[in-house]
Amino acid sequence: MEIAQGHQAVMPYLMVENARKFTEFCQKVFNAQLTFSRLREDNITVMHSEIQISGCTIMFCDATDQWKVETSNLFIYVEDANETFQKAIEAGAAIVSEIANQDYGRSGGVKDPFGNVWWITSILKK
């Protein structure tokens, strides 16, 4: 099986309101890199964009009448859950689960301004 360079076998595809702002949110909070973006003929609406976070691709576009908003829950490992959680709040996310130590690491949930829930987690240092 061949997979396009920079892609993985499974990638989320989100349809959001204001894809450009979604890109900015991910860049501020998760240090995402915009790797591809194409606009529709109106030169405003994002037809297809891709970001990479720690080598993982998220595809997304602006929702339209044909393609309604489709959000997701995303689990993300980060170096410092406390720092990333705070960055998300500062960038407009709402807390859905306070950050706390869990069996699997330090984790908390936020809902971004676009309706996606991010489960921000880092491994507890021993």
Side-chain angles (χ1 to χ4, degrees):
M1 171 176 69
E2 289 188 47
I3 297 174
Q5 185 175 0
H7 288 177
Q8 300 79 50
V10 177
M11 296 171 283
Y13 200 116
L14 309 174
M15 288 146 195
V16 299
E17 293 290 336
N18 203 336
R20 290 180 188 193
K21 291 286 186 191
F22 176 76
T23 302
E24 291 172 13
F25 176 87
C26 291
Q27 289 171 324
K28 286 179 191 172
V29 177
F30 304 112
N31 296 318
Q33 302 297 312
L34 180 64
T35 57
F36 182 84
S37 190
R38 177 172 291 145
L39 300 177
R40 293 196 176 276
E41 292 174 4
D42 64 7
N43 284 325
I44 297 170
T45 308
V46 174
M47 178 166 35
H48 179 85
S49 279
E50 299 178 12
I51 56 171
Q52 282 216 343
I53 301 172
S54 299
C56 297
T57 302
I58 299 175
M59 297 178 172
F60 58 98
C61 65
D62 275 312
T64 64
D65 289 340
Q66 181 183 6
W67 301 104
K68 305 295 185 206
V69 170
E70 291 285 344
T71 60
S72 186
N73 277 257
L74 301 154
F75 186 97
I76 183 168
Y77 279 112
V78 297
E79 198 63 39
D80 184 332
N82 291 332
E83 178 184 334
T84 303
F85 190 87
Q86 187 59 40
K87 282 182 183 179
I89 300 307
E90 290 169 4
I95 298 170
V96 295
S97 178
E98 290 287 346
I99 194 156
N101 290 347
Q102 307 293 340
D103 292 343
Y104 52 87
R106 184 131 179 97
S107 188
V110 298
K111 182 179 274 190
D112 70 26
F114 315 92
N116 301 291
V117 175
W118 297 83
W119 299 99
I120 299 169
T121 305
S122 58
I123 300 299
L124 292 171
K125 308 275 193 250
K126 295 182 183 191

